[in-house]
Amino acid sequence: MARTIVITSGKGGVGKTTTSAAIAMGLARRGNRTAVIDFDVGLRNLDLVMGCERRVVYDFVNVITGEATLNQALIRDKRCDDLYVLPASQTRDKEALTQEGVGKVLDEMGKTFDYIVCDSPAGIEHGATMAMYFADDAIVVTNPEVSSVRDSDRMLGILASKSRRAENAEEPIREYLLLTRYLPERVERGEMLGVDDVQEILSLDLLGVIPESPDVLDASNKGEPIILNERSDAGQAYTDVISRYLGEDVPHRFLEAPKKGLFGRLFGG
């Protein structure tokens, strides 16, 4: 059976879709048969980040309603044979994601995949609660800002109480913290929360810290998951995230501002 991972947050714009694409690609490149599903019905951004928007014929809702089979709707990634994308519908209402329908699709996928990554909408709207309900693991994505962390704390309560695991008194969802858009220089100036500050509030295992990088936007515009850019700090950070998720002991990087040389200290460069 597949392990279902939900990528969630309390606030929009923190990098969930970027993270979903990177996590899915990273797991698939390690030899795991992986699917990534877009739960954001009505918007549908995952296919853009994955670079497969022109290949969308059927979507997640088509499968739920029986208008298409799962095999018809899944899009195989051109760069990695073990990775598949299930896009969201742009024209349907979010209520089309029924608990029974989503459950049937995930159960069918669980027979042939190792991991199912669910790209959740922000907050507690219908698509988000559907994505969280079936999760085995949750990666809570937050920026180092008070409002983002506060909203993420609210999501933890929902994960603990409104999941299938909670209803059935099973082992709780495994929860991880992913801190994105991190700028250690701003942390040092007191303009941004530090890693320790965020962990103190959320009390989650730190899966990774993704530094702020213009490479992320560039990768999204090109339709390439940032993890494929091995020269980028952000890409390297996501690679480390995959290693930690799979149980490897990898030290955290990009937590401190680079030390200035002599000329930098003298002239502020």
Side-chain angles (χ1 to χ4, degrees):
M1 288 292 291
R3 192 149 189 99
T4 301
I5 309 167
V6 64
I7 313 297
T8 186
S9 75
K11 185 179 179 183
V14 299
K16 285 186 305 302
T17 300
T18 294
T19 296
S20 298
I23 295 287
M25 178 63 77
L27 289 170
R29 292 180 83 197
R30 294 286 291 266
N32 300 290
R33 186 172 164 85
T34 305
V36 57
I37 306 175
D38 192 345
F39 274 78
D40 203 353
V41 174
L43 293 179
R44 201 176 85 188
N45 290 316
L46 178 65
D47 54 303
L48 293 171
V49 176
M50 295 296 298
C52 63
E53 69 277 8
R54 294 179 183 176
R55 298 166 61 199
V56 175
V57 178
Y58 295 109
D59 56 54
F60 192 11
V61 173
N62 291 141
V63 180
I64 289 174
T65 60
E67 298 166 292
T69 65
L70 179 61
N71 189 59
Q72 286 177 297
L74 284 171
I75 301 171
R76 193 172 193 170
D77 188 84
K78 292 181 177 180
R79 297 152 297 205
C80 182
D81 289 343
D82 284 323
L83 179 58
Y84 292 78
V85 179
L86 183 55
S89 171
Q90 284 185 310
T91 59
R92 303 295 183 93
D93 187 85
K94 298 179 188 297
E95 300 302 318
L97 296 180
T98 63
Q99 186 168 298
E100 180 183 8
V102 172
K104 284 183 178 179
V105 174
L106 292 178
D107 286 345
E108 184 179 351
M109 296 176 78
K111 298 173 184 176
T112 56
F113 286 95
D114 299 311
Y115 292 100
I116 301 170
V117 179
C118 302
D119 182 21
S120 169
I124 56 174
E125 58 114 294
H126 185 69
T129 56
M130 282 294 100
M132 289 186 286
Y133 181 79
F134 294 97
D136 298 309
D137 300 334
I139 298 176
V140 180
V141 183
T142 185
N143 293 157
E145 304 166 357
V146 172
S147 61
S148 181
V149 175
R150 180 194 62 201
D151 289 346
S152 293
D153 199 21
R154 185 184 183 193
M155 302 306 295
L156 295 178
I158 296 171
L159 286 166
S161 60
K162 292 190 175 182
S163 69
R164 180 168 61 176
R165 285 176 170 267
E167 286 183 3
N168 297 334
E170 297 175 357
E171 181 182 347
I173 294 172
R174 294 192 311 197
E175 299 166 342
Y176 302 94
L177 170 64
L178 185 71
L179 198 54
T180 56
R181 306 194 69 174
Y182 195 75
L183 281 168
E185 296 89 350
R186 293 191 63 188
V187 174
E188 290 180 358
R189 295 196 298 266
E191 299 171 356
M192 183 176 278
L193 295 176
V195 173
D196 292 341
D197 300 321
V198 178
Q199 281 193 284
E200 184 177 348
I201 297 169
L202 298 179
S203 299
L204 293 178
D205 290 335
L206 182 63
L207 191 59
V209 176
I210 312 300
E212 177 73 273
S213 171
D215 296 330
V216 173
L217 178 59
D218 184 54
S220 295
N221 289 337
K222 291 179 179 177
E224 297 178 356
I226 183 61
I227 198 170
L228 295 177
N229 186 346
E230 298 175 356
R231 293 178 297 178
S232 167
D233 287 352
Q236 294 172 34
Y238 274 114
T239 298
D240 291 350
V241 164
I242 297 299
S243 297
R244 291 190 200 98
Y245 177 79
L246 294 176
E248 300 171 23
D249 186 12
V250 178
H252 290 279
R253 297 188 281 171
F254 315 113
L255 303 185
E256 298 180 359
K259 302 297 182 183
K260 292 182 180 180
L262 176 60
F263 286 102
R265 294 195 298 270
L266 289 174
F267 301 106

